[in-house]
Amino acid sequence: MSATSPQDLQPDPKIIDLLNKKSESKVAHVSLEYFPPRTEQGVKNLHARMDRMLTNTKCLYTDMTWGAGGSTADLSLDLALHAHKTGHVSNMHLTCTNMEKDGDPIKAVHDALQKAHDGGIRNIVALRGDPPEGEKEWTATEGGFSCALDLVQYIRKTYGDDFGISVAGYPEGHPNRISELSAEDVESMTEAEKGRCCTHDGVTYVCKDEDYIKEMDYLKEKVDAGSDFIITQMFFDAEVFKTFVKDCRKWGIDCPVVPGLMCINAYPGFKKMTKFCKTRVPKPLEERMDSMKDDSDAIKKFGVEFGAETCRILLDSGVEILHFYTLNLEKVVYGITDELGITSGLIEKSNETDAKDMVAVGSAWARAGDTVKSSTGQGVVKEIKADGTAVVGIDGKDVELAKGSYEKIF
C-alpha cells in the first residue's frame, strides 16, 4: 500500500467513535499491535507486514509501542506516522518515563504529541512506562510526570478532545503490585486472589485484594480524567478477563475494555514473558506447553488452537474487538482469525522468513535471568548495573561484561 500525499491526508478518526459504532456484521473487529524493530531491514519488513495485515484482517486500528525511557521515541513516532499515511488508524503509545529534553521533563512528551497531531494521528495510548536500561525500578523525573494519570490530564488540558486516549488495565494487577507469597499466605488466599494468582518456579504470586482495590481506584481515576477506553495487559486465563470487566462495571468504569491477547509463538518467549510479568498460566496450559517445548512448529500450531479457544470464550462473553500483540509476526494471528471465521485461508499465505529481523529495540537490553554471549563465553545475567555492565555467571564464575561487549541470546 503506498503512502498518500500529505495534502490528501485527513486526520484519523478517534478509535472510541469506531468502537461505539455498532457493526452490522456479526464478525468481531481486530486490532493489531507492533513494536519498533532493531534494524533498518526489520523496519522495511515491518512496513510490508503492516500493509499485508491491514489488507488481510481489515484491522480497526494499529498500535505502535514506545520504548522504555523514550528509547524508541523517534522510530515509534515515524512508524506511527507511517501507519497513518498508509491507511491505518494509528494508535501511538506514549510513555512519560525519563523523557527529559533540554532540561525540561515535559518538553519531549509535548513535542511527540505535537508531531503526532501535526501528522494526523488522533489516538494515543497514555502510559507511565517501564524503567530504562540498567535500572530495576521506575522513578519520576523531577518536575515531570509521575504516572499515566498525569499524562492523560496533560493531554486533555493541552489538546482538549483532539486526541482519543486509551490506557492500560491489569486484570491480574500491575506487576509492581504483585506480591510473592509465603506458604502460609498461599493457604489464606481469598477466592478472588486464588482466581488471579500465578505460580512460577514453585513460587506463588498474587495482587492481594487490598492492592487490587488500589489498582481499580487508580484505573477509575484515569478514565474519569479523560480516557476513552482500556486495553488490558496480556492474560492466558479468560476467566480473569471476565472478572476484570465485571469489576470495572462495579467501580463505575463503563468504557469499552479491550482484551490484549498475546500470541503464543515460541516456548522460550512464552516462559520468559509470563515469568517476568508474573502472568497467571493455567495448569493445563503450562503442562501442554512443557510437553512440546522442543517442537517449534507444534508450539505455533497450539498457539493458534489456544488463541482461538480463548477468543471464543471472550466473544461469547460480549467482547466485540480482539487486540492482538503480534510480536511483529503474522502466522499465529492469521491462524486464529481463520479459525474464528474473521478471515479465511490466510495462515497458508503467511510468510515469516523475516522473523529474525523482528526483534524489538528494547529486546537488545539484557535483564537478570537472560542468556548472553561474549568473547569470554556464554552465561546467564545475574545483575545489570546502572552503567549497563552485566554481571554474568560463566563457567561457575561471576564475570563483569561492559555494556556493548555482550549480546543477548533469544
Side-chain angles (χ1 to χ4, degrees), residues 16 19-20 31 61 166-171 212 216 219 223 227-233 235 238 240-261 314-315 317-323 325:
I16 186 60
L19 292 175
N20 286 336
S31 56
Y61 62 89
S166 50
V167 291
Y170 298 87
Y212 185 78
M216 295 304 297
L219 182 59
V223 172
S227 305
D228 297 315
F229 67 100
I230 297 161
I231 304 174
T232 75
Q233 169 78 302
F235 57 90
V240 171
F241 174 82
K242 290 164 65 176
T243 297
F244 177 69
V245 174
K246 289 177 183 177
D247 288 341
C248 283
R249 304 315 179 218
K250 287 178 185 176
W251 254 261
I253 300 170
D254 297 321
C255 66
V257 181
V258 177
L261 300 162
L314 298 176
L315 294 171
S317 74
V319 165
E320 296 181 349
I321 183 166
L322 304 167
H323 182 83
Y325 299 119

Side-chain angles (χ1 to χ4, degrees), residues 66-67 69-78 92 99 112:
W66 192 271
S71 57
T72 67
D74 291 341
L75 183 53
S76 292
L77 179 60
D78 286 346
M92 188 181 82
M99 290 284 287

